[in-house]
Amino acid sequence: RMERLDYPIHNRIKQIQSLALYRIFSNRILDRVQDNEIKFTMDQNPFLLIELFNSTMLAIWDELYSNENVNSFRRNIQSEHVNVLITIMLNKNRTFSTDATSLARNNLNKLYEKIQKIQSSNDFDEYTYSHFKDLGNKIYSAYKAQTSIN
């Protein structure tokens, strides 16, 4: 079997994106960020868990709100972001706090609602449309799995 002759650009970039997302959303980091709420007073402007979830959501899903096509690198990070949020929401090993699971569920719900609204539009190329449709199905399946687990 022969290895690829060219450099696997998409695979390498996806690895870097995935490592960053899984690091940011690791249970240890999420717990430390959540503890900021009790370590600092509100006038000190601590970085909060809700800010982490919402700012990441806005940065990764810009095209969904601006109705622009999504390039292949951004599709990869969006897919990985959905996977991370599903992992936190399902919380199979009970390693994530209830606040983290609630925020993950809320972000997934926002994504699902937005994806459902755009599915009837013809504003996107086929890659983007298929990408959003696939992620909508993945989120829906995760909700069903969570209902079965709980």
Side-chain angles (χ1 to χ4, degrees):
R1 298 178 87 173
M2 195 165 129
E3 293 290 323
R4 285 182 67 168
L5 296 177
D6 60 338
Y7 188 76
I9 297 168
H10 280 88
N11 289 343
R12 293 296 181 252
I13 291 176
K14 185 176 181 180
Q15 284 177 337
I16 293 166
Q17 292 170 333
S18 297
L19 286 170
L21 275 176
Y22 280 97
R23 175 71 176 134
I24 291 168
F25 287 101
S26 72
N27 63 325
R28 288 184 183 149
I29 296 294
L30 295 177
D31 288 345
R32 289 179 65 199
V33 172
Q34 184 178 25
D35 287 346
N36 282 342
E37 295 181 22
I38 59 173
K39 289 181 181 178
F40 300 95
T41 61
M42 291 313 278
D43 63 322
Q44 290 177 309
N45 199 21
F47 184 70
L48 305 176
L49 202 56
I50 195 164
E51 291 176 85
L52 175 63
F53 276 85
N54 290 342
S55 61
T56 305
M57 175 100 152
L58 289 172
I60 292 176
W61 294 92
D62 182 55
E63 298 88 351
L64 187 58
Y65 294 95
S66 63
N67 289 331
E68 295 177 17
N69 289 318
V70 184
N71 71 42
S72 57
F73 300 113
R74 301 274 300 165
R75 288 193 300 270
N76 281 340
I77 195 168
Q78 288 173 355
S79 294
E80 208 57 45
H81 186 237
V82 166
N83 291 338
V84 167
L85 292 175
I86 288 171
T87 299
I88 296 169
M89 180 187 75
L90 294 178
N91 198 15
K92 290 180 184 175
N93 297 328
R94 303 283 186 228
T95 56
F96 296 101
S97 70
T98 55
D99 285 342
T101 58
S102 297
L103 290 168
R105 184 179 301 105
N106 188 46
N107 278 185
L108 286 167
N109 189 45
K110 288 178 186 177
L111 285 173
Y112 185 75
E113 287 175 0
K114 185 68 176 164
I115 288 170
Q116 290 303 106
K117 287 179 185 173
I118 61 105
Q119 286 188 0
S120 60
S121 92
N122 292 329
D123 296 338
F124 298 104
D125 64 16
E126 195 166 346
Y127 278 124
T128 301
Y129 179 81
S130 299
H131 167 68
F132 287 147
K133 182 94 170 156
D134 181 54
L135 292 180
N137 289 336
K138 186 180 279 190
I139 293 168
Y140 179 76
S141 296
Y143 276 128
K144 289 185 78 164
Q146 193 222 8
T147 303
S148 298
I149 290 171
N150 296 330

